[in-house]
Amino acid sequence: MIILFISVVLLLLLILIKQSFEKLHSIIVIIIFFFIMQFILRTQVYPLWQQLATLFQSVPYSKGLLYTALLFLSKDLFCALLKQLEYEAYESLVTLSVRLTVIVYWVNEFATPFQTFVQLLERLS
């Protein structure tokens, strides 16, 4: 509820800033975006992450799935901001970066089981 109230107040403040200081508006939007994002991550996402991690502790690769979901969530937020500011090229770079990060993470995660599987197949042939 507090986030909704803060969002409404900030929306009114941003409208006032846009009308008064057009050139500073995009910089202030970015600053406020990161403050709100940090607040939401710290107060809601991180506690939810901890609760889900303990709940699915026995499920294999559950932390990796949570990590992947958090990366894609943050990518969507950054891409929406970059799209609003008309930086489509940077939006593509962020998307590529997150995809490569997820691929590298899962390749490292599955390297050992995959090697065991290959060794098992070699023994069978």
Side-chain angles (χ1 to χ4, degrees), residues 39-82:
F39 177 75
I40 291 173
L41 285 175
R42 188 173 36 105
T43 60
Q44 295 190 349
V45 174
Y46 186 67
L48 177 64
W49 172 288
Q50 288 179 325
Q51 187 176 14
L52 288 174
T54 57
L55 183 65
F56 296 112
Q57 187 175 14
S58 61
V59 177
Y61 305 111
S62 62
K63 286 190 179 182
L65 291 172
L66 288 172
Y67 174 71
T68 303
L70 184 64
L71 276 176
F72 281 118
L73 175 67
S74 61
K75 177 202 70 92
D76 289 342
L77 291 172
F78 285 121
C79 287
L81 178 67
L82 290 171

Side-chain angles (χ1 to χ4, degrees), residues 4-108:
L4 182 63
F5 178 72
I6 290 171
S7 297
V8 169
V9 170
L10 287 176
L11 178 64
L12 294 173
L13 180 66
L14 287 173
I15 291 172
L16 178 67
I17 290 171
K18 187 173 185 177
Q19 298 299 322
S20 304
F21 307 105
E22 181 69 32
K23 294 182 180 182
L24 290 176
H25 179 257
S26 60
I27 295 171
I28 294 171
V29 165
I30 293 170
I31 292 169
I32 290 175
F33 172 80
F34 282 108
F35 278 134
I36 292 175
M37 185 175 153
Q38 181 268 340
F39 177 75
I40 291 173
L41 285 175
R42 188 173 36 105
T43 60
Q44 295 190 349
V45 174
Y46 186 67
L48 177 64
W49 172 288
Q50 288 179 325
Q51 187 176 14
L52 288 174
T54 57
L55 183 65
F56 296 112
Q57 187 175 14
S58 61
V59 177
Y61 305 111
S62 62
K63 286 190 179 182
L65 291 172
L66 288 172
Y67 174 71
T68 303
L70 184 64
L71 276 176
F72 281 118
L73 175 67
S74 61
K75 177 202 70 92
D76 289 342
L77 291 172
F78 285 121
C79 287
L81 178 67
L82 290 171
K83 191 174 207 172
Q84 178 190 9
L85 297 173
E86 298 174 357
Y87 290 114
E88 285 84 13
Y90 290 116
E91 179 184 353
S92 299
L93 285 175
V94 168
T95 301
L96 178 66
S97 171
V98 168
R99 287 178 181 170
L100 289 175
T101 302
V102 168
I103 289 170
V104 167
Y105 175 80
W106 284 108
V107 165
N108 290 336

